[in-house]
Amino acid sequence: MLKYWFYLRGYLNSLVHFTHPALLAQHGQLRIYRKHGSISVGNNTRFWPGVKLSCEGTPAQAARMVIGQRVQIGDNTQIHCGSKLTIDDNVMISWSCNIMDRDFHPLDQGEEIRRPVHIGKNAWIACQVTILKGVT
């Protein structure tokens, strides 16, 4: 019975925060921050406790985060999107990872650098890995 609660909570969260409803499991708190951007999540994705999804674009360029089907995102992992971040199907991300396509600050008074990140199908990302902008 508890298994169904995880899916119900995930489904209800998908109705509010994602571009389309998805059947996903949410084990514990899922923090979602979205401004000038969209988040799409595929079915049968699992979010473990403490996961944070941040999708923040600019008024001129919306950010887009796409998470495929059957993806597992481990405890306390943070995913930050400023332009485009894609995680394909069947990806396993361990605990305390950081994935980001942006710097969060400009260098030398210039503009912040944002580059797409693409994680391919069937990838496995070990614990405490950091993936920075421009990785494909």
Side-chain angles (χ1 to χ4, degrees):
M1 188 66 154
L2 189 60
K3 174 183 176 181
Y4 297 111
W5 168 247
F6 296 138
Y7 279 100
L8 177 61
R9 183 165 54 177
Y11 178 76
L12 293 174
N13 226 342
S14 76
L15 291 173
V16 175
H17 297 288
F18 303 146
T19 57
H20 62 275
L23 182 63
L24 51 97
Q26 179 184 333
H27 303 271
Q29 182 184 17
L30 173 62
R31 296 172 294 158
I32 301 169
Y33 177 72
R34 194 170 36 95
K35 181 178 179 184
H36 303 298
S38 63
I39 302 172
S40 172
V41 178
N43 287 326
N44 297 314
T45 293
R46 289 183 179 269
F47 295 102
W48 294 95
V51 170
K52 178 181 181 182
L53 303 178
S54 170
C55 187
E56 182 179 1
T58 64
Q61 181 182 358
R64 177 134 171 84
M65 181 185 300
V66 178
I67 300 173
Q69 296 186 55
R70 296 171 303 282
V71 173
Q72 297 219 22
I73 302 175
D75 302 83
N76 301 315
T77 290
Q78 295 190 24
I79 302 175
H80 300 278
C81 176
S83 64
K84 183 161 187 184
L85 195 145
T86 305
I87 301 172
D88 285 343
D89 297 342
N90 301 315
V91 171
M92 292 178 58
I93 302 171
S94 190
W95 48 271
S96 296
C97 293
N98 288 297
I99 302 170
M100 57 190 90
D101 69 352
R102 58 188 301 183
D103 286 333
F104 286 100
H105 57 82
L107 300 173
D108 299 327
Q109 306 301 326
E111 288 195 28
E112 176 185 14
I113 299 172
R114 301 174 188 219
R115 299 280 184 267
V117 169
H118 184 205
I119 299 171
K121 290 182 180 178
N122 304 312
W124 181 70
I125 300 169
C127 63
Q128 300 181 342
V129 168
T130 298
I131 296 176
L132 300 175
K133 64 186 182 301
V135 171
T136 56

